[in-house]
Amino acid sequence: MAALYVLLAMILVVLLSPLLTPFNTSTQFSDAIALPPSWVESGNMNYLFGTDDLGRDMLSRLLIGGLYSLGLPILMVAVSSIIGMSIGALAGIDRTIKYQSLSRLFDTLLSIPSFLMALIIIAILGTGFNNVAFAITLSLIPQFIFVTRNAVHEEWHKDYVTASRLNGCSKAYLLYRVILPNVTPTLVMQLTVSLSVAIMDIAALSFLGLGIQAPTPEWGSMLARSLDEVYLSPWSMVLPGITLFITIMSINIVGDSLRRALKERVNS
């Protein structure tokens, strides 16, 4: 529950970040360059989390960065899950050559790690906000297809589904009213894992200079920029690093807890 509260608070802050940021993320304060956080003796209450090596407010950059590091991955996972789960569910109950060929194609793509696939797509399309979002979304689809297809196919051969089929239920009814409630724990776990992967991928791509480009305040790019200043202004690396760590840890804990709760509910 603590992880859930933290995650909900972070999502709420991200949604309200345009209203909460005290300064523009690109504004440089020449009189406050590399200023430490306010809780340090030499800090300033006007800049709660300090400033970076260009005099930009760290709190404002972290808040707006959440739109790209947390908000964008949520959107990408939502799109990829809808596409992947739809194809996977149809492939799980439809044994025709069309769906089986499609699922085998995505199985082949699944052998390529999502980060490597995103790198390949970006190498072809180039860097930029839209290309990064498209690359990571596309790289997550095979995972949802694989997990959904296997979960649905496993349930399809169980006795309760066979009984419903003999009762004259349509495939659509079987899928959404009979099978789906029993595979929900698996799908929830995949959603949370994919969200963590999406956050890490977008941060890693930006850290390497292949993702969202400066001066956009994405957490991964903030980490990359702070490497040269880590000994002079360590807070510029520690703050986005801690934010990434807390976000991913909260998502994983909430996902695992939801999976167990849903599994117990289904079993009861």
Side-chain angles (χ1 to χ4, degrees), residues 48-189:
L48 291 178
F49 284 6
T51 59
D52 61 8
D53 59 312
L54 296 179
R56 296 174 296 188
D57 182 57
M58 285 294 297
L59 175 59
S60 300
R61 292 179 64 78
L62 284 172
L63 289 174
I64 297 299
L67 291 173
Y68 303 97
S69 299
L70 179 58
L72 182 59
I74 290 176
L75 180 61
M76 292 188 296
V77 169
V79 174
S80 60
S81 64
I82 292 172
I83 298 173
M85 288 180 183
S86 299
I87 298 174
L90 292 175
I93 63 175
D94 195 330
R95 312 307 295 176
T96 58
I97 296 178
K98 178 177 65 176
Y99 285 108
Q100 291 309 305
S101 301
L102 187 62
S103 63
R104 292 295 176 266
L105 172 62
F106 281 103
D107 283 350
T108 304
L109 295 176
L110 189 63
S111 64
I112 305 175
S114 62
F115 182 70
L116 179 58
M117 186 184 297
L119 278 177
I120 295 172
I121 297 172
I122 289 175
I124 297 173
L125 300 178
T127 59
F129 178 85
N130 294 330
N131 292 342
V132 170
F134 175 75
I136 296 179
T137 301
L138 193 61
S139 67
L140 293 175
I141 291 176
Q143 300 178 18
F144 284 105
I145 293 177
F146 178 80
V147 171
T148 307
R149 186 197 65 192
N150 288 351
V152 170
H153 181 66
E154 183 180 350
E155 296 295 320
W156 185 257
H157 296 285
K158 291 188 176 179
D159 292 341
Y160 75 94
V161 177
T162 303
S164 298
R165 290 169 60 188
L166 294 174
N167 224 12
C169 296
S170 64
K171 285 186 176 181
Y173 182 89
L174 288 171
L175 181 60
Y176 293 107
R177 299 296 298 273
V178 180
I179 296 177
L180 186 59
N182 292 284
V183 300
T184 299
T186 302
L187 300 182
V188 167
M189 191 62 186

Side-chain angles (χ1 to χ4, degrees), residues 6-21 59-75 199 217 219 243-244 247 251:
V6 169
L7 182 59
L8 291 176
M10 295 190 72
I11 294 175
L12 180 62
V13 168
V14 167
L15 292 175
L16 298 177
S17 58
L19 303 175
L20 297 176
T21 50
L59 175 59
S60 300
R61 292 179 64 78
L62 284 172
L63 289 174
I64 297 299
L67 291 173
Y68 303 97
S69 299
L70 179 58
L72 182 59
I74 290 176
L75 180 61
I199 293 173
W219 295 340
T243 306
L244 269 173
T247 302
I251 291 171

Side-chain angles (χ1 to χ4, degrees), residues 211-225:
I212 298 175
Q213 302 297 304
T216 304
E218 196 276 330
W219 295 340
S221 62
M222 291 173 67
L223 281 172
R225 179 169 182 81

